[in-house]
Amino acid sequence: MPYHTCIKQTLRINGPWLVILVKKGAELLHYLPASEYHPANTYFHFSFANYYDPDNMHYGVLRVVNDDDVKPHSGFDRHPHKDMEIVSYLVKGNLTHWDSATQVEDVLSRGHVQTVTAGNGVWHSELNNHDEWCRFLQIWILPPKTRPGSAV
Ligand SMILES: O=C(Oc1cc(O)cc(O)c1C(=O)O)c1ccc(O)c(O)c1
C-alpha cells in the first residue's frame, strides 16, 4: 500500500490486558526536508525540535524515533546529551560516530546498532562523510531516573 494512502487503525483485543495500536500512514508522521539548516530528510514519529505536539510526546519509555536520510557530506555536528539512552540503527550507507567518552571515531554501516548511555553528559557527532545518502533510525529511550514516579 502506498505510504500516503494508508489509514490509522486501532485494534483493541481482549480488554485492557492486550492493546494493539497500529498507526499507519506518512501523514501521521511529521516530515522535515533536508535544507541548509537540517542535514536530512527526516520523519519524526514523536515531538522533536520545532515539531511539537503535546499529544505525541512519547510512547511509554520510547521518546524519540527519527527516520533520517542524511545528505552526503553532512550530518549532526558535535553537541551534548544527558539522561537518555540513544540507539542508532543503520539502514543504508555509512555514518561516522564520535563521542567524548571514547574519543574514538567509528564507521557504522547497514545493520549496525549503536547504543549510547548519555548518563551525566556526553558530546557526540553523527556524520555522513560519504558520497551517498545515509539512512538511519535515531531512537531515544527514557532512562529509569527520568520516568515519572521513579524513585531511582
Ligand atoms: O541532533 C540532535 O538530535 C538528533 C536527531 C536526529 O534525528 C539524529 C541524530 O543523530 C541526532 C543526534 O543527537 O545526533 C540534537 C538533539 C538535541 C540537541 O539539543 C541538539 O543540539 C541536537
Side-chain angles (χ1 to χ4, degrees), residues 42 44 48 66 68 76 79-81 124 126 136 138 140:
T42 299
F44 298 116
F48 194 90
N66 292 352
D68 291 306
F76 300 87
H79 59 273
H81 287 294
H124 77 131
E126 311 295 341
F136 76 109
Q138 173 88 173
W140 293 8

